[in-house]
Amino acid sequence: MNKLNAKLIVSDFDGTLITSDQKILPAVREAIDGYVAAGGVFAVCTGRILPSILPRVRALGLEGLVIACQGTVIADIQSGKLVRCGGLEPGQAAEICAAIEEAKQSVNVYCGDDFYSDIPADNRFLKIYEDIIGVRAKHADVPLSRFVAERGAVCQKVASLCAPADRQPLYELLCRRFAGRYDVTCSAEVLVEVAPLGDTKGAALEFLAKRCGIDMSETVAIGDNLNDLSMIVAAGTGVAVGNAVDELKAAADFVSLSNDEGAVAQVINKFGWAHD
């Protein structure tokens, strides 16, 4: 039997583990199965909310923990039971929503198993997003900044589903406004997201490694966008897939094939096993 090198491999989901058409390549599935069978721990760390990612990791046959909402939520795959759940207090979430509303961009709010959007229900871009994540948006009769404050619920993150041309200006605006207070990042060409400071993918990777008794030097993290930066830097080996943004590639120890070319299989074969 092959000897393990890295004992824990954590992969982003969209743009990394799955292809552009939302599939998992047979070679990737085979590599994951072989690695786990040999005793390696393979986990998914995603910006998706828990109801979106649980069916996908269960279909993969993964066990153990899954990391959702940029690291804010960690849950047991089989039971769905929460192991850790952070979030923004109602006043914090309302403040973030208001800033996005002032910038005249759309707002999505993620609270537990639900997500709310101020984008009209019949909007085709919202429908595409809903189809991708497998969860339907709920809508409020008032601006979400007001709704969140009045509802009094803890929200795991706030996001804006915006046009590609608007992403960078909005990202920079929110970075300036909330520097040192919240974690502002981008998870796709059309998504700017704001989450609690410190509840990052990197922090979740460290939590998972400690829970499994694995040294960080024996971990690998794989991603494609800015929201993966913290775990790429925190891991013993940080990998940016070939389709990753330039900022992530610059921070990575290795740049792999693209997600459509089976990046995760390549990474498992290269770093998961000890090579003489």
Side-chain angles (χ1 to χ4, degrees):
M1 179 180 290
N2 290 335
K3 182 180 179 181
L4 290 176
N5 178 35
K7 295 180 180 178
L8 169 62
I9 298 178
V10 175
S11 175
D12 173 50
F13 194 68
D14 295 280
T16 302
L17 180 60
I18 61 173
T19 61
S20 301
D21 56 359
Q22 299 286 301
K23 296 178 181 178
I24 294 178
L25 295 175
V28 171
R29 178 66 182 266
E30 182 180 350
I32 293 172
D33 289 347
Y35 177 72
V36 171
V41 178
F42 184 88
V44 168
C45 184
T46 178
R48 293 188 183 212
I49 59 176
L50 198 56
S52 173
I53 194 60
L54 271 180
R56 302 301 301 268
V57 292
R58 286 170 175 165
L60 259 176
L62 293 180
E63 298 181 356
L65 302 181
V66 62
I67 302 165
C69 275
Q70 313 292 25
T72 307
V73 174
I74 302 177
D76 178 77
I77 293 173
Q78 275 65 43
S79 67
K81 182 179 179 180
L82 296 178
V83 172
R84 191 174 78 168
C85 185
L88 299 158
E89 294 300 322
Q92 295 175 318
E95 177 188 29
I96 297 164
C97 289
I100 299 173
E101 289 165 355
E102 289 169 14
K104 301 191 183 306
Q105 296 294 335
S106 68
V107 182
N108 285 356
V109 176
Y110 304 79
C111 304
D113 289 347
D114 300 320
F115 98 87
Y116 295 83
S117 181
D118 64 6
I119 303 173
D122 61 353
N123 181 280
R124 72 183 184 93
F125 295 107
L126 178 62
K127 287 182 177 294
I128 291 171
Y129 179 69
E130 290 173 326
D131 288 343
I132 289 173
I133 68 170
V135 180
R136 297 296 166 190
K138 296 184 176 182
H139 292 80
D141 295 328
V142 296
L144 285 177
S145 55
R146 177 180 165 186
F147 173 77
V148 166
E150 293 178 347
R151 187 171 185 262
V154 172
C155 302
Q156 280 63 57
K157 65 176 182 177
V158 177
S160 179
L161 184 62
C162 56
D166 293 331
R167 190 192 80 161
Q168 191 64 22
L170 180 61
Y171 169 70
E172 292 175 359
L173 182 153
L174 296 178
C175 282
R176 290 193 301 270
R177 183 153 180 176
F178 298 130
R181 298 180 58 206
Y182 306 121
D183 181 61
V184 182
T185 190
C186 299
S187 59
E189 186 182 27
V190 295
L191 278 171
V192 179
E193 307 195 23
V194 187
L197 192 66
D199 278 352
T200 63
K201 288 189 174 188
L205 169 62
E206 291 174 352
F207 176 90
L208 183 56
K210 184 176 181 179
R211 186 181 178 92
C212 295
I214 296 171
D215 190 85
M216 287 298 291
S217 65
E218 299 175 304
T219 67
V220 176
I222 319 166
D224 75 306
N225 223 308
L226 286 179
N227 66 324
D228 300 313
L229 182 60
S230 60
M231 72 172 182
I232 294 300
V233 172
T237 302
V239 178
V241 292
N243 51 292
V245 297
D246 290 340
E247 295 94 327
L248 200 71
K249 289 180 178 178
D253 299 302
F254 178 73
V255 177
S256 72
L257 299 172
S258 73
N259 62 322
D260 290 331
E261 297 172 303
V264 170
Q266 181 194 26
V267 173
I268 290 174
N269 291 330
K270 183 175 180 63
F271 297 108
W273 307 107
H275 299 284
D276 296 329

